Amino acid sequence: MGIIRALVLASAGTAAALFAVPAIAADAATQLPEAAPVPAEAAPAWTFAAKPYFWMAGMKGRVGVRGLSPVDIDVDFGQIFDHIDWSPPPVMLAGEARNGRYALFTDFIYLGLEADGTSPGPLALFSAEANMDTVVWTFGGSYRVVDNGTATLDVLAGGRLWHLDADLTVTGPLAVREARGSKTWVDPIIGVAGDVALGNGFGLHGEADVGGFGLGADIDWQVQGTLQYRYSDWVTLEAGYRYLAVDYDDDRFVFDIAMQGPIIGARFRF
């Protein structure tokens, strides 16, 4: 009986203690200042941009395929509408996906071009014609190292894929020679891109990259500058100038070309 009495008393004491804990905690809560909740830091949201554009790119340089010496071509951007193969039509589209300081970017170009030229060497006086279907796809990622509210600067790295189908015809007084070939390669690239706000919706955008390094082309580089106008929160208009050059020579396939001309476009954010 003594043991049972001791267990009953112990149980009663335990129950009393359990009922007393909330009361003591409540009383302590009334005496201590309430701690302010710590706000959770919101994660950066993804934003996306798409930019259809038209680049009136002239083309100057040398193009060669196996079986024919490289031919010299020179098409000024003022003549580009007379030399574009409109079937299928050109496609030029850039895009970006950004999360805070990090971004992924892409830029795709398809351009069919018909160009007249001359054949160097022993056929220097012979006329030449080049029909080219060119794909240029630039892709990669970037990191924003400067963002002070007025200017931004990104460093970038990625690659540029080239695909060229070329049909060359050299016409002389005694014969016509024709050769066709295609080539695909990828050049690693590194570069920078930046923006500067000018006020009243206007701004400047510039970018430059270089690549190749002998891993694909001997050299592959571009520079671009545009004046931008922010028409609304989700539409920005821009116009400027772009220069893109590549020097590729492999297995008698030559594409040593500089493309340059005015560029206009519209960037849509969503």
Side-chain angles (χ1 to χ4, degrees):
M1 293 295 292
I3 296 175
I4 295 175
R5 183 181 179 185
L7 290 175
V8 170
L9 292 176
S11 301
T14 303
L18 291 174
F19 280 107
V21 167
I24 295 172
D27 184 63
T30 60
Q31 298 178 18
L32 295 176
E34 184 177 355
V38 179
E41 185 177 352
W46 282 97
T47 60
F48 302 91
K51 186 182 78 172
Y53 64 92
F54 185 67
W55 182 25
M56 293 168 280
M59 184 178 291
K60 183 176 182 179
R62 298 184 308 134
V63 178
V65 298
R66 181 181 295 182
L68 278 180
S69 298
V71 300
D72 296 321
I73 62 172
D74 187 355
V75 178
D76 187 78
F77 66 80
Q79 306 168 326
I80 192 66
F81 289 99
D82 297 329
H83 292 271
I84 289 178
D85 183 358
W86 296 96
S87 179
V91 177
M92 301 175 186
L93 180 66
E96 180 188 73
R98 175 169 293 279
N99 188 290
R101 291 183 176 269
Y102 298 91
L104 301 174
F105 63 87
T106 185
D107 186 346
F108 180 85
I109 299 173
Y110 166 77
L111 180 64
L113 199 64
E114 301 174 352
D116 298 327
T118 58
S119 177
L123 303 178
L125 299 179
F126 290 16
S127 63
E129 180 180 334
N131 295 325
M132 296 172 291
D133 292 331
T134 307
V135 171
V136 186
W137 178 33
T138 306
F139 55 90
S142 66
Y143 177 75
R144 182 153 291 175
V145 295
V146 175
D147 189 351
N148 59 21
T150 301
T152 63
L153 179 65
D154 296 351
V155 294
L156 60 90
R160 184 148 44 235
L161 179 146
W162 294 82
H163 175 77
L164 177 68
D165 280 324
D167 189 347
L168 305 182
T169 303
V170 176
T171 303
L174 300 178
V176 176
R177 298 182 61 193
E178 184 175 0
R180 182 178 180 86
S182 64
K183 205 75 171 180
T184 302
W185 71 94
V186 178
D187 295 326
I189 60 170
I190 55 174
V192 294
D195 295 276
V196 177
L198 301 178
N200 297 321
F202 288 93
L204 294 175
H205 172 78
E207 58 186 86
D209 62 59
V210 62
F213 311 118
L215 300 176
D218 291 334
I219 188 152
D220 176 350
W221 65 282
Q222 75 161 336
V223 291
Q224 176 177 300
T226 58
L227 174 66
Q228 301 180 327
Y229 175 67
R230 189 168 185 175
Y231 180 76
S232 68
D233 289 341
W234 63 284
V235 179
T236 299
L237 308 177
E238 60 182 311
Y241 202 87
R242 184 179 187 179
Y243 182 99
L244 171 62
V246 62
D247 183 1
Y248 180 85
D249 187 346
D250 179 65
D251 193 24
R252 298 178 65 186
F253 191 99
V254 178
F255 194 59
D256 183 5
I257 288 292
M259 304 169 66
Q260 61 178 317
I263 183 172
I264 57 173
R267 183 185 300 269
F268 300 91
R269 293 182 177 85
F270 53 93

Short mmCIF file of all heavy atoms in Angstrom, two decimals, residues 1-14:
data_model
loop_
_atom_site.label_atom_id
_atom_site.label_comp_id
_atom_site.label_asym_id
_atom_site.label_seq_id
_atom_site.Cartn_x
_atom_site.Cartn_y
_atom_site.Cartn_z
N MET A 1 0.83 -1.20 0.00
CA MET A 1 0.00 0.00 0.00
C MET A 1 0.86 1.24 0.00
O MET A 1 0.51 2.26 -0.58
CB MET A 1 -0.93 0.01 1.24
CG MET A 1 -1.99 -1.08 1.22
SD MET A 1 -3.17 -0.85 -0.12
CE MET A 1 -3.98 0.63 0.45
N GLY A 2 1.98 1.16 0.68
CA GLY A 2 2.88 2.32 0.70
C GLY A 2 3.40 2.64 -0.68
O GLY A 2 3.54 3.81 -1.06
N ILE A 3 3.66 1.56 -1.42
CA ILE A 3 4.17 1.76 -2.79
C ILE A 3 3.11 2.38 -3.66
O ILE A 3 3.36 3.30 -4.43
CB ILE A 3 4.66 0.41 -3.37
CG1 ILE A 3 5.84 -0.11 -2.57
CG2 ILE A 3 5.01 0.56 -4.84
CD1 ILE A 3 6.31 -1.48 -2.99
N ILE A 4 1.83 1.87 -3.54
CA ILE A 4 0.74 2.42 -4.35
C ILE A 4 0.50 3.87 -4.02
O ILE A 4 0.30 4.71 -4.91
CB ILE A 4 -0.54 1.59 -4.11
CG1 ILE A 4 -0.34 0.16 -4.62
CG2 ILE A 4 -1.74 2.23 -4.77
CD1 ILE A 4 -1.50 -0.76 -4.31
N ARG A 5 0.55 4.19 -2.70
CA ARG A 5 0.36 5.59 -2.29
C ARG A 5 1.44 6.49 -2.87
O ARG A 5 1.19 7.60 -3.33
CB ARG A 5 0.35 5.66 -0.76
CG ARG A 5 0.07 7.07 -0.24
CD ARG A 5 0.08 7.08 1.26
NE ARG A 5 -0.15 8.42 1.76
CZ ARG A 5 -0.10 8.77 3.04
NH1 ARG A 5 0.17 7.84 3.96
NH2 ARG A 5 -0.31 10.02 3.41
N ALA A 6 2.67 5.97 -2.89
CA ALA A 6 3.79 6.75 -3.43
C ALA A 6 3.61 7.00 -4.92
O ALA A 6 3.88 8.09 -5.44
CB ALA A 6 5.11 6.04 -3.18
N LEU A 7 3.11 5.97 -5.67
CA LEU A 7 2.89 6.13 -7.11
C LEU A 7 1.79 7.13 -7.38
O LEU A 7 1.88 7.93 -8.30
CB LEU A 7 2.53 4.77 -7.72
CG LEU A 7 3.67 3.74 -7.79
CD1 LEU A 7 3.13 2.39 -8.31
CD2 LEU A 7 4.78 4.24 -8.69
N VAL A 8 0.70 7.08 -6.55
CA VAL A 8 -0.41 8.03 -6.73
C VAL A 8 0.07 9.45 -6.49
O VAL A 8 -0.25 10.38 -7.23
CB VAL A 8 -1.58 7.67 -5.79
CG1 VAL A 8 -2.63 8.79 -5.78
CG2 VAL A 8 -2.20 6.36 -6.20
N LEU A 9 0.82 9.62 -5.38
CA LEU A 9 1.33 10.96 -5.09
C LEU A 9 2.27 11.45 -6.19
O LEU A 9 2.26 12.63 -6.57
CB LEU A 9 2.05 10.94 -3.73
CG LEU A 9 1.16 10.73 -2.50
CD1 LEU A 9 2.00 10.62 -1.22
CD2 LEU A 9 0.15 11.88 -2.37
N ALA A 10 3.10 10.52 -6.72
CA ALA A 10 4.03 10.92 -7.81
C ALA A 10 3.27 11.29 -9.05
O ALA A 10 3.60 12.28 -9.73
CB ALA A 10 5.01 9.77 -8.09
N SER A 11 2.20 10.53 -9.38
CA SER A 11 1.40 10.84 -10.55
C SER A 11 0.71 12.17 -10.40
O SER A 11 0.63 12.99 -11.33
CB SER A 11 0.35 9.74 -10.79
OG SER A 11 0.98 8.50 -10.99
N ALA A 12 0.18 12.43 -9.21
CA ALA A 12 -0.48 13.73 -8.97
C ALA A 12 0.51 14.87 -9.09
O ALA A 12 0.21 15.93 -9.64
CB ALA A 12 -1.13 13.70 -7.58
N GLY A 13 1.71 14.64 -8.58
CA GLY A 13 2.72 15.71 -8.69
C GLY A 13 3.11 15.96 -10.13
O GLY A 13 3.30 17.11 -10.55
N THR A 14 3.22 14.88 -10.91
CA THR A 14 3.58 15.04 -12.33
C THR A 14 2.50 15.78 -13.09
O THR A 14 2.77 16.67 -13.91
CB THR A 14 3.82 13.67 -12.97
OG1 THR A 14 4.84 12.98 -12.25
CG2 THR A 14 4.21 13.80 -14.42
#
